[in-house]
Amino acid sequence: MCLQLLLCRTFEHSPYYLQPLHPQARLLFIMPLLLIVFTLLLYLHIPASSAATDTLLAGQAFGVNDKLISKNGRYALGFFQTSSKSTGNTNNWYLGIWFNTVPKFTYAWVANRDKPIKNTTSLELAISQDGNLVILNRSTKSIIWTAQANIKRNSTTVVLSSDGNLILGSSSNSSEVLWQSYDHPTDTFFPGAKLGLDKVTGLNRRLVSWKNLADPATGVYCYELDPSGFDQLLLARLDSSTPYWYSGAWNGKYFALVQEMAQSVNWISNFVNTDHEKYYTYSLLHEKVVTRHVIDVSGQVKVFVWFEGSKDWQMVFAQPRTPCEVYAVCGPFTICSDNELLECNCMKGFTITSPKDWEVEDRTGGCSRNTPLDCISNKSKTHTTDKFYPVSCVMLPQNATKVEAAKVESECIQFCLNNCSCTAYSFSNDGCSIWNNDCST
Ligand SMILES: *[C@@H]1O[C@H](CO)[C@@H](O)[C@H](O)[C@H]1NC(C)=O
Ligand SMILES: *[C@@H]1O[C@H](CO)[C@@H](O)[C@H](O)[C@H]1NC(C)=O
Ligand SMILES: *[C@@H]1O[C@H](CO)[C@@H](O)[C@H](O)[C@H]1NC(C)=O
Ligand SMILES: *[C@@H]1O[C@H](CO)[C@@H](O)[C@H](O)[C@H]1NC(C)=O
Ligand SMILES: *[C@@H]1O[C@H](CO)[C@@H](O)[C@H](O)[C@H]1NC(C)=O
Ligand SMILES: *[C@@H]1O[C@H](CO)[C@@H](O)[C@H](O)[C@H]1NC(C)=O
Ligand SMILES: *[C@@H]1O[C@H](CO)[C@@H](O)[C@H](O)[C@H]1NC(C)=O
């Protein structure tokens, strides 16, 4: 299936394997010694965590301005507000974990991604009577979000661990985990977390992108263990059963199509398959390096490293390697230009459907026709004035309908013109294919 998809694309430029996009990034993978010196320089001025705590006990009040900070200072948990001038969603509050040492606010986990809080009056994070972790309205006692842990003890404690895991555990036995944020990831894959399946409980840990740059709601793209049982990872749209990227099979050291993993000296991968579990995990050798492994709103899995010098995240790794390989990344009736940075344009005769969504990189609306098809506005289907506009070098859309009856291109064209819901055709050695409704490449 995958091969077919790839065959449709043009790969004119040589695929760029592990070409760090930033010269400093190269250090991470190729010169570990230099890196150590480098990171020492980076970390000298990190403020020691003050009176902050990493623990929330039953009965303690945790309000909208409170924070838990992991012992190593790396991560913080608290309420945050998203803001986007273009969408006007300035009143949405979330409980989440962010990188505490990074001045550019970057969220790594969100508890209530699909249930934004609109008003912070009486907002509280607490351990409930039954020991669960809840976000509630203190004055009405109504529960806004709950970890829904199956609690058998009545005495629990919450800790934000140094590796960014929010753990609800038994107060009497700190190794007894009742619920953890690692089991319910958002879009970020923490080192040490698992991507995959608990075969006993059926829990499947997978990452789903944010809806757009300013909204953590469940987005379009998913990064997960291959549900068909192969030892590999894949990327797919949630609304499509056809993945647009496979990692290739695990060979004991790395996934076959991701050789970057094997070349990296900082990154240790592990694939575990037992009676109880099947998952991929990774760890970092240089624990001081701040990395961010994420499925972004445009469907690429990316690894970033924080560089104090540039005060920004630098991308060191992306899969698929070019943004246009993400299926339908620009939405219906668009052309994606195969550059390092995503560039979306409307097909000729189309205009961006929702510019304010595009601005925050939600392109699911794609482009819309400037003029309705004659076929639709004018019921006289037989003499339509509609014509075709050629779009070259694109990945063919999914869900083609084969038209065996059409043996030559003109028959294929006529077949499409005869049906008002037909929006595109393609004619090749393979014969005639047509597409109905949206046309996403
Ligand atoms: C939140 O609720 C309080 C109490 O009902 C109200 O006074 C306040 O204006 C509300 N704030 C917002 C931002 O809606
Ligand atoms: C809590 O309830 C009060 C009264 O209904 C309301 O004004 C306030 O906005 C609520 N706060 C939250 C966080 O739901
Ligand atoms: C917690 O459990 C113990 C033992 O089952 C019980 O005696 C105690 O009342 C419980 N406490 C609460 C607050 O439910
Ligand atoms: C603490 O919890 C762990 C994990 O559930 C368990 O293996 C261990 O036996 C427990 N220890 C005690 C003292 O109950
Ligand atoms: C393709 O068709 C299948 C089955 O009809 C459907 O589930 C899927 O959503 C379609 N995919 C796209 C991209 O339209
Ligand atoms: C509808 O199609 C007929 C036949 O081609 C044409 O004469 C007529 O002008 C069209 N009407 C509109 C509104 O385009
Ligand atoms: C046009 O195509 C659609 C989708 O394949 C089909 O359901 C419909 O029956 C076709 N209409 C005509 C007039 O052939």
Side-chain angles (χ1 to χ4, degrees):
M1 274 188 297
C2 179
L3 272 181
Q4 252 177 354
L5 270 183
L6 291 177
L7 280 176
C8 306
R9 298 194 60 81
T10 50
F11 281 106
E12 284 162 57
H13 27 249
S14 54
Y16 53 98
Y17 275 105
L18 191 71
Q19 271 194 4
L21 299 180
H22 192 279
Q24 287 166 342
R26 194 184 299 270
L27 293 174
L28 174 69
F29 291 95
I30 298 171
M31 290 181 230
L33 265 181
L34 264 179
L35 180 76
I36 290 164
V37 176
F38 188 45
T39 48
L40 276 179
L41 290 175
L42 291 187
Y43 283 85
L44 284 178
H45 70 283
I46 284 184
S49 53
S50 52
T53 172
D54 65 348
T55 306
L56 178 69
L57 302 171
Q60 279 183 342
F62 184 101
V64 71
N65 295 317
D66 290 322
K67 277 190 279 188
L68 294 185
I69 295 182
S70 64
K71 274 217 170 65
N72 61 1
R74 168 85 49 110
Y75 298 102
L77 170 99
F79 290 101
F80 68 90
Q81 184 179 27
T82 56
S83 65
S84 163
K85 280 184 215 93
S86 55
T87 58
N89 282 341
T90 48
N91 286 330
N92 285 349
W93 285 83
Y94 300 89
L95 177 74
I97 295 173
W98 61 87
F99 292 88
N100 192 44
T101 57
V102 168
K104 186 172 182 169
F105 258 94
T106 310
Y107 304 103
W109 181 75
V110 181
N112 54 320
R113 71 184 304 179
D114 290 311
K115 280 189 195 167
I117 299 158
K118 300 286 183 188
N119 190 321
T120 58
T121 306
S122 304
L123 183 60
E124 192 172 274
L125 177 70
I127 291 173
S128 64
Q129 293 291 321
D130 69 350
N132 228 315
L133 178 65
V134 293
I135 301 174
L136 77 154
N137 187 325
R138 196 179 345 107
S139 62
T140 63
K141 302 282 181 234
S142 64
I143 289 175
I144 296 165
W145 173 88
T146 160
Q148 289 183 307
N150 182 13
I151 312 275
K152 293 178 199 81
R153 328 226 154 253
N154 61 8
S155 172
T156 57
T157 304
V158 170
V159 177
L160 178 62
S161 76
S162 284
D163 44 15
N165 193 4
L166 187 66
I167 301 170
L168 177 67
S170 159
S171 306
S172 52
N173 180 353
S174 62
S175 55
E176 195 175 341
V177 174
L178 303 167
W179 176 94
Q180 55 185 335
S181 60
Y182 270 16
D183 285 340
H184 307 273
T186 310
D187 66 339
T188 303
F189 188 12
F190 290 85
K194 298 170 181 177
L195 192 65
L197 203 60
D198 182 324
K199 294 177 185 174
V200 178
T201 63
L203 175 77
N204 186 22
R205 306 169 194 93
R206 59 183 201 168
L207 307 180
V208 177
S209 60
W210 280 32
K211 183 173 185 298
N212 63 46
L213 291 180
D215 187 349
T218 298
V220 181
Y221 301 103
C222 173
Y223 181 30
E224 65 179 345
L225 186 69
D226 188 339
S228 69
F230 291 108
D231 293 349
Q232 65 177 347
L233 306 177
L234 58 78
L235 292 170
R237 286 178 66 104
L238 288 176
D239 60 1
S240 160
S241 48
T242 312
Y244 56 87
W245 179 84
Y246 294 96
S247 66
W250 177 255
N251 64 13
K253 276 195 179 137
Y254 57 91
F255 293 106
L257 305 177
V258 196
Q259 283 155 348
E260 290 93 328
M261 270 184 179
Q263 293 161 356
S264 165
V265 296
N266 189 38
W267 188 281
I268 303 161
S269 287
N270 202 3
F271 193 85
V272 174
N273 191 357
T274 66
D275 287 347
H276 297 110
E277 305 187 278
K278 180 172 177 176
Y279 62 86
Y280 168 65
T281 188
Y282 72 101
S283 54
L284 299 170
L285 271 183
H286 305 288
E287 89 178 54
K288 294 266 175 196
V289 181
V290 178
T291 64
R292 174 172 178 246
H293 187 171
V294 67
I295 177 162
D296 76 1
V297 292
S298 304
Q300 274 179 300
V301 166
K302 290 177 176 168
V303 176
F304 296 91
V305 176
W306 178 261
F307 281 101
E308 204 56 41
S310 57
K311 287 267 183 286
D312 207 351
W313 296 101
Q314 300 292 340
M315 192 176 80
V316 293
F317 175 90
Q319 294 291 342
R321 294 187 180 90
T322 57
C324 296
E325 288 172 73
V326 176
Y327 183 68
V329 64
C330 295
F333 303 113
T334 54
I335 312 261
C336 185
S337 306
D338 229 343
N339 300 320
E340 253 167 37
L341 290 176
L342 181 57
E343 191 191 319
C344 293
N345 290 294
C346 291
M347 288 180 184
K348 197 174 171 179
F350 292 78
T351 314
I352 297 171
T353 308
S354 172
K356 82 179 167 45
D357 288 329
W358 269 51
E359 220 166 276
V360 285
E361 296 188 11
D362 173 3
R363 299 190 180 81
T364 48
C367 299
S368 309
R369 242 175 247 288
N370 295 339
T371 324
L373 288 176
D374 186 36
C375 183
I376 289 174
S377 58
N378 192 338
K379 297 294 178 215
S380 162
K381 284 176 196 163
T382 42
H383 294 97
T384 174
T385 56
D386 295 333
K387 293 202 170 55
F388 290 101
Y389 177 73
V391 182
S392 53
C393 306
V394 292
M395 181 159 53
L396 292 179
Q398 292 176 2
N399 286 6
T401 308
K402 281 247 168 237
V403 184
E404 305 289 353
K407 299 295 177 209
V408 291
E409 187 162 5
S410 59
E411 287 171 6
C412 189
I413 292 175
Q414 202 50 51
F415 199 91
C416 188
L417 287 179
N418 286 348
N419 189 331
C420 267
S421 62
C422 178
T423 49
Y425 81 92
S426 156
F427 193 86
S428 63
N429 295 340
D430 246 14
C432 172
S433 300
I434 61 163
W435 286 269
N436 292 301
N437 306 316
D438 281 359
C439 179
S440 304
T441 59

